[in-house]
Amino acid sequence: MNEATTGTHAIHNGRVILSSQATVPVSSKAVQYGFTTYESLRVVGGVAIHLADHLQRLKNSCSIIGLEHPFTAQQISGWVAKLLAVDTIQEATVRIQLYGGAEPQLFILAQEIISYPEHYYTDGVGAITYHGERLIPSSKTGNLLLNYLALEEAKRQGCFEALLVDRHGAVLEGTRSNFYGFSGNTLYTAPDDLVLQGITRDRVIAAASELGFSLVFQVILLEDLRANRYDELFISATSMAAMPLAAVDSRPYPSSYERTAAIKRLVRSWDSKEDV
Amino acid sequence: MNEATTGTHAIHNGRVILSSQATVPVSSKAVQYGFTTYESLRVVGGVAIHLADHLQRLKNSCSIIGLEHPFTAQQISGWVAKLLAVDTIQEATVRIQLYGGAEPQLFILAQEIISYPEHYYTDGVGAITYHGERLIPSSKTGNLLLNYLALEEAKRQGCFEALLVDRHGAVLEGTRSNFYGFSGNTLYTAPDDLVLQGITRDRVIAAASELGFSLVFQVILLEDLRANRYDELFISATSMAAMPLAAVDSRPYPSSYERTAAIKRLVRSWDSKEDV
């Protein structure tokens, strides 16, 4: 059950522990109810990319659901550095998982870095649509059953991602990604309050702007997707940067994906320039 | 963080372990995503009340979310008996928690039995209403953040329970209870497909019928509550049987609560007559 933990060690409330000891009691209410927030970030060349932004979002996630805890961004940042040092980690996905309740518990784990074959970017990947609404879209919590079930269904259909569609037929975001559509040189994506404020989404938006695209914060309706109102679709996430969608629900959305590729290059070029 | 575990031992996939060892890895996807189902049942006089019904519901919960596992009801039933024997448990709340994924993990824990002061039943308790919809109402899963947040808000307001109100203004159920309203000798409660099929709810319905009340499976609208269309309100759960609501959102709903008390007595009288 201890999937994908790569480091020998982990951090628990600031202490270095063996990663096999990074466990929580089944009897804990925070565990049973998913009263937990988390962040997942990339470590490349020994550097935790955009760590400050991830810690700011962790703080926002906690604040939105009222998860109180004593850990400061400065402390957590130091603990991440400690974990990278103790296992001399150059590349990893670092997960920060914070359980609330009477005795808050913060874990930091180093897992294998996620990377995708180059042809995913050149040929695009497939997605399905899945009807369902996240409870609190702006907070990264443990309330993830919808995401789990939607992504499992996508995998069953041989697809890479599931796009969540709300009661109004708006395609808001993926289970672990934000979602975008180009119409010519205009890029559409959902308004901030309806989706997770992706750390990479912020950079996709900045990159699109820098590349001269117009930006419209407006939901993408499923019926407009099907009516070909968008001529290039992509998703973004920490692990993906920007990845083109070749098909949604088996319906092809062919493109050269050059606009997405330009955004991806610019977003990745910023990875090494910021933060710790 | 190891709240309310009373027994010295627990069960993990059929094996007796120390209850302090009933833990799950923070790195597990099933834990992170809440891909878990559970049951909570009462042990009185060494007997696990309505165990067969709880195991049937656990099976339904798993089937609804596609949680596959190798454990049979007969096995789980034997493990509950083993746990009661090893710690010579007479009274407890037993929790069965089942994590899905590649390596399903089933835990059985004995926690302190939940009981309430007699005046809760004679005077009624207070509830708030809370807007939000459960993702899959009929499956008892770990996707419980809504329930957690709603109940915390109720406690902050000095109330016992929060009643969840859907987008149509229907008061469907509590965070850990089903919800009912009497209008004279007619009892109203939500249709089966909109709420959790409570083990106690089944018995409340049978008791109401045996006591000569008419039953209507129809949602209770918040506006109808406020317009005094119901003259006695109550909630039901394994731990509560049937408990009257004296107030909702600080608005009193006075009654003698005799109809609820009659149902409660009959429901509790059946506890000792069935199952293991």
Side-chain angles (χ1 to χ4, degrees):
Chain A
M1 204 182 186
N2 208 336
E3 300 125 6
T5 302
T6 47
T8 312
H9 296 91
I11 301 279
H12 175 226
N13 291 0
R15 282 188 319 113
V16 175
I17 58 172
L18 289 174
S19 56
S20 60
Q21 295 171 333
T23 62
V24 283
V26 177
S27 62
S28 154
K29 274 224 175 328
V31 176
Q32 291 172 352
Y33 284 78
F35 189 54
T36 174
T37 56
Y38 72 101
E39 284 295 324
S40 190
L41 54 105
R42 293 165 76 236
V43 174
V44 178
V47 176
I49 311 284
H50 308 318
L51 178 58
D53 285 0
H54 283 280
L55 295 180
Q56 181 59 50
R57 186 170 64 180
L58 185 68
K59 191 175 172 180
N60 294 347
S61 293
C62 290
S63 155
I64 289 166
I65 65 167
L67 192 163
E68 291 174 11
H69 66 88
F71 313 115
T72 66
Q74 202 183 351
Q75 281 179 313
I76 303 171
S77 186
W79 298 339
V80 169
K82 182 151 70 167
L83 182 61
L84 299 186
V86 75
D87 282 343
T88 53
I89 291 170
Q90 285 297 304
E91 286 210 332
T93 298
V94 161
R95 189 173 180 106
I96 304 170
Q97 188 89 38
L98 177 49
Y99 288 93
E103 294 173 41
Q105 314 273 319
L106 186 142
F107 293 90
I108 307 175
L109 312 173
Q111 300 177 309
E112 219 173 305
I113 196 162
I114 302 167
S115 63
Y116 302 105
E118 188 51 33
H119 71 89
Y120 280 28
Y121 292 97
T122 51
D123 304 345
V125 294
I128 63 164
T129 57
Y130 195 95
H131 285 264
E133 299 178 11
R134 293 176 57 223
L135 180 65
I136 307 169
S138 51
S139 182
K140 233 173 141 69
T141 73
N143 203 64
L144 290 172
L145 187 59
L146 172 65
N147 302 50
Y148 186 95
L149 297 177
L151 185 57
E152 286 297 304
E153 181 57 31
K155 288 180 191 166
R156 245 191 306 276
Q157 296 188 32
C159 284
F160 179 77
E161 177 62 301
L163 302 172
L164 301 175
V165 182
D166 77 2
R167 67 189 77 172
H168 308 295
V171 187
L172 293 178
E173 58 189 334
T175 66
R176 54 195 161 134
S177 61
N178 288 110
F179 174 60
Y180 313 79
F182 273 110
S183 175
N185 284 324
T186 303
L187 182 64
Y188 292 79
T189 196
D192 283 3
D193 55 325
L194 296 181
V195 296
L196 185 73
Q197 256 91 101
I199 304 293
T200 300
R201 179 176 177 268
D202 288 348
R203 285 165 179 82
V204 164
I205 290 165
S209 180
E210 190 158 322
L211 291 165
F213 297 115
S214 301
L215 265 160
V216 178
F217 292 92
Q218 185 180 294
V219 294
I220 295 175
L221 294 173
L222 188 51
E223 61 179 273
D224 287 343
L225 263 193
R226 290 180 178 151
N228 287 328
R229 296 259 180 97
Y230 302 93
D231 51 36
E232 188 168 310
L233 305 176
F234 71 93
I235 53 180
S236 77
T238 292
S239 65
M240 303 169 198
M243 185 174 289
L245 295 182
V248 177
D249 292 335
S250 303
R251 196 179 186 290
Y253 291 88
S255 169
S256 65
Y257 310 129
E258 280 171 16
R259 287 162 288 181
T260 301
I263 287 176
K264 185 209 163 198
R265 275 192 302 273
L266 193 48
V267 165
R268 277 287 187 247
S269 77
W270 292 335
D271 276 2
S272 48
K273 286 202 196 131
E274 294 166 78
D275 289 318
V276 178
Chain B
M1 206 184 185
N2 208 336
E3 301 126 6
T5 302
T6 48
T8 312
H9 296 91
I11 302 279
H12 175 226
N13 290 1
R15 281 188 318 114
V16 175
I17 58 172
L18 290 173
S19 56
S20 59
Q21 294 171 333
T23 62
V24 282
V26 176
S27 62
S28 154
K29 273 225 174 332
V31 176
Q32 291 172 352
Y33 284 77
F35 189 54
T36 174
T37 56
Y38 72 102
E39 284 295 324
S40 190
L41 55 105
R42 293 166 76 238
V43 173
V44 177
V47 176
I49 311 283
H50 308 318
L51 177 58
D53 286 0
H54 283 280
L55 295 180
Q56 180 59 49
R57 187 171 62 181
L58 184 68
K59 191 174 171 180
N60 294 348
S61 293
C62 290
S63 155
I64 289 166
I65 64 166
L67 192 163
E68 292 175 11
H69 67 88
F71 313 114
T72 66
Q74 203 183 347
Q75 281 178 313
I76 303 172
S77 187
W79 298 339
V80 169
K82 182 151 68 168
L83 181 61
L84 299 185
V86 76
D87 283 342
T88 54
I89 292 169
Q90 285 297 303
E91 287 210 332
T93 298
V94 161
R95 188 173 181 106
I96 304 169
Q97 188 89 38
L98 177 49
Y99 289 93
E103 294 172 39
Q105 314 274 320
L106 187 142
F107 294 90
I108 308 174
L109 311 173
Q111 300 177 309
E112 218 172 305
I113 196 164
I114 301 166
S115 64
Y116 302 106
E118 188 50 32
H119 70 90
Y120 280 29
Y121 293 96
T122 52
D123 304 345
V125 295
I128 63 164
T129 57
Y130 195 97
H131 286 263
E133 299 179 13
R134 293 177 56 225
L135 180 66
I136 307 169
S138 50
S139 182
K140 234 172 141 64
T141 73
N143 203 64
L144 290 171
L145 187 59
L146 172 66
N147 302 50
Y148 186 94
L149 297 177
L151 185 56
E152 286 297 305
E153 181 57 30
K155 289 180 191 165
R156 244 191 306 276
Q157 296 188 31
C159 285
F160 179 77
E161 177 62 301
L163 303 172
L164 301 175
V165 181
D166 76 2
R167 68 189 76 172
H168 309 296
V171 187
L172 292 178
E173 58 188 333
T175 66
R176 51 194 164 136
S177 61
N178 288 110
F179 174 61
Y180 314 78
F182 273 110
S183 174
N185 284 324
T186 303
L187 182 64
Y188 293 80
T189 196
D192 282 3
D193 56 324
L194 297 182
V195 297
L196 186 73
Q197 255 89 103
I199 304 294
T200 300
R201 178 175 178 269
D202 287 348
R203 285 165 178 82
V204 164
I205 290 164
S209 182
E210 191 159 321
L211 291 165
F213 297 115
S214 301
L215 265 159
V216 178
F217 292 92
Q218 187 180 291
V219 294
I220 296 175
L221 294 172
L222 189 51
E223 60 178 274
D224 287 343
L225 263 193
R226 290 182 179 151
N228 287 329
R229 297 259 180 97
Y230 302 93
D231 50 34
E232 189 168 309
L233 305 175
F234 71 94
I235 53 180
S236 77
T238 292
S239 65
M240 304 169 196
M243 183 173 290
L245 295 182
V248 177
D249 292 335
S250 302
R251 197 179 185 290
Y253 291 88
S255 168
S256 64
Y257 310 129
E258 281 170 16
R259 288 162 286 181
T260 301
I263 286 176
K264 185 211 164 196
R265 275 193 302 274
L266 194 49
V267 165
R268 278 287 187 247
S269 77
W270 292 335
D271 277 1
S272 49
K273 285 201 196 132
E274 294 167 79
D275 291 319
V276 178

